[in-house]
Amino acid sequence: MRLDTHQPRLDKRQLRPGKRHLLKAATSCGLIFAALFVFARPSAGQTKAAAPQKESAPAIKSRFAMLDGQRVHYKSYGKGERALVFVHGWTCDMNVWQQQLPAFAADARLVALDLPGHGQSDKPQIKYTQDLFARALDAVLRDAGVREAVLVGHSMGTPVIRQFYRKYPAKTLALVIVDGGLRPLGVAADREKFFELLRGPQYQTVATGMVNAMLAPVKNAELRSTITATMLATPKHVAISAMDGMNAPEIFKDDKINVPVLAILARSPVWQADTEQFLRSLAPNLEYQMWEQVGHFLMVEKPHEFNQALAAFLSKNKLLNKTKGK
């Protein structure tokens, strides 16, 4: 698939010493968020993609499932025991999917949630592990009356849906990986160096710069502003714990995924040369796409192309009702 933006490039000489330090940490550890902080900046003269046509998600009231005495916020669209379920990434919320929900609302049962600690879900002082997130997702599906689901996970949402499949394989129809990883990226010691920056007193400065750079390729100003505000509003204790949780060694087992898997990744230095081979070793029924010249929030930058790819995958594998996408 050819996309029509230019891959941003970074001139290291333009970075101040502090940012050069972040660049070193990001490059060495290969962590998605850290690497995007320095690699996702638009270059001078970058061609601006036209903002996607604005579509509004169906007006549905918020609902709350309960898990361990805490509320997990979600919205449910349509009816049926099979659903297409959208799981956001680190410090985001369900609003990252607002260009997908109206595209599929007429053709499938949809569920979108705010993971614990995020969005309108409760934010207690607890450990935000992938296991917690998987159990929260199950709590939402049980509350919504969903028996089986196709799970779409962006970024940190990828190991979340992977963990859900481990715990609830009978409820999982398929997995859709959206620029997320299923193995550790880089060297643990180098990752820890970057985490120290986030844990320290400069958290707000580091997080703000990182989030702004991650979202720089998004040309829809309203969406970019909304996602930025959401990410920076997520409490520090949630952000740090969730980042620790998504890098915990125990979640990166090599057990097989025996349901159809669609992986759509944005070409980036964080992905190793054998990424496709590795994913196929886990998921024999894999459809793999590496998109060029697009950033981490590819479903926001290229909603039409993403929706078409998702709809084609659903149709090919006969997973839900008729799914045309828009």
Side-chain angles (χ1 to χ4, degrees), residues 97-120:
W97 303 110
Q98 63 181 269
Q99 295 182 93
Q100 280 63 61
L101 298 177
F104 290 94
D107 300 306
R109 172 83 188 272
L110 307 178
V111 174
L113 78 155
D114 292 336
L115 292 170
H118 297 73
Q120 296 183 46

Side-chain angles (χ1 to χ4, degrees), residues 137-179:
L137 177 52
D138 182 58
V140 164
L141 296 187
R142 285 187 283 107
D143 192 78
V146 172
R147 181 173 54 86
E148 297 175 308
V150 176
L151 305 174
V152 184
H154 173 243
S155 193
M156 184 188 73
T158 290
V160 171
I161 64 175
R162 203 306 192 220
Q163 189 69 6
F164 180 94
Y165 171 73
R166 285 191 178 112
K167 296 177 71 68
Y168 314 103
K171 298 182 179 182
T172 308
L173 293 171
L175 302 180
V176 179
I177 296 169
V178 186
D179 214 41

Side-chain angles (χ1 to χ4, degrees), residues 69-134:
Q70 303 295 328
R71 302 184 309 161
V72 182
H73 175 242
Y74 76 97
K75 291 186 178 182
S76 176
Y77 308 81
K79 298 179 180 180
E81 294 185 326
R82 285 188 167 194
L84 181 60
V85 180
F86 295 93
V87 182
H88 63 80
W90 181 74
T91 69
C92 293
D93 68 5
M94 67 172 65
N95 286 315
V96 298
W97 303 110
Q98 63 181 269
Q99 295 182 93
Q100 280 63 61
L101 298 177
F104 290 94
D107 300 306
R109 172 83 188 272
L110 307 178
V111 174
L113 78 155
D114 292 336
L115 292 170
H118 297 73
Q120 296 183 46
S121 293
D122 288 344
K123 303 169 179 64
Q125 292 276 355
I126 59 175
K127 290 185 177 181
Y128 288 89
T129 65
Q130 300 301 292
D131 195 71
L132 171 71
F133 292 150

Side-chain angles (χ1 to χ4, degrees), residues 197-252:
L197 294 173
L198 289 177
R199 294 190 186 104
Q202 70 272 48
Y203 168 80
Q204 196 64 37
T205 299
V206 175
T208 299
M210 182 170 62
V211 168
N212 287 340
M214 287 169 65
L215 289 163
V218 178
K219 300 308 174 187
N220 185 317
E222 183 177 350
L223 276 175
R224 184 175 65 248
S225 176
T226 297
I227 298 171
T228 298
T230 297
M231 295 182 74
L232 294 177
T234 301
K236 178 180 178 180
H237 74 273
V238 176
I240 299 302
S241 182
M243 185 167 283
D244 286 341
M246 70 177 172
N247 285 279
E250 60 268 22
I251 71 170
F252 295 114

Side-chain angles (χ1 to χ4, degrees), residues 151-325:
L151 305 174
V152 184
H154 173 243
S155 193
M156 184 188 73
T158 290
V160 171
I161 64 175
R162 203 306 192 220
Q163 189 69 6
F164 180 94
Y165 171 73
R166 285 191 178 112
K167 296 177 71 68
Y168 314 103
K171 298 182 179 182
T172 308
L173 293 171
L175 302 180
V176 179
I177 296 169
V178 186
D179 214 41
L182 291 180
R183 62 177 170 181
L185 300 174
V187 180
D190 293 328
R191 288 197 302 271
E192 185 59 32
K193 290 178 183 178
F194 182 77
F195 295 163
E196 288 177 4
L197 294 173
L198 289 177
R199 294 190 186 104
Q202 70 272 48
Y203 168 80
Q204 196 64 37
T205 299
V206 175
T208 299
M210 182 170 62
V211 168
N212 287 340
M214 287 169 65
L215 289 163
V218 178
K219 300 308 174 187
N220 185 317
E222 183 177 350
L223 276 175
R224 184 175 65 248
S225 176
T226 297
I227 298 171
T228 298
T230 297
M231 295 182 74
L232 294 177
T234 301
K236 178 180 178 180
H237 74 273
V238 176
I240 299 302
S241 182
M243 185 167 283
D244 286 341
M246 70 177 172
N247 285 279
E250 60 268 22
I251 71 170
F252 295 114
K253 302 174 184 175
D254 59 358
D255 45 318
K256 299 293 183 182
I257 302 174
N258 295 312
V259 295
V261 176
L262 169 63
I264 305 178
L265 308 180
R267 189 170 297 282
S268 163
V270 304
W271 303 122
Q272 299 178 32
D274 68 341
T275 295
E276 180 177 359
Q277 179 182 356
F278 167 74
L279 289 177
R280 291 195 185 281
S281 74
L282 297 180
N285 188 1
L286 171 72
E287 180 178 335
Y288 180 85
Q289 300 181 23
M290 181 70 78
W291 286 12
E292 303 285 348
Q293 301 173 343
V294 68
H296 185 49
F297 286 81
L298 57 89
M299 73 287 192
V300 176
E301 294 177 57
K302 294 291 179 181
H304 178 70
E305 290 87 343
F306 178 83
N307 294 345
Q308 283 189 323
L310 176 55
F313 172 75
L314 297 173
S315 178
K316 174 184 175 182
N317 291 281
K318 301 179 180 178
L319 291 166
L320 298 171
N321 298 331
K322 55 182 181 179
T323 47
K324 299 177 182 178

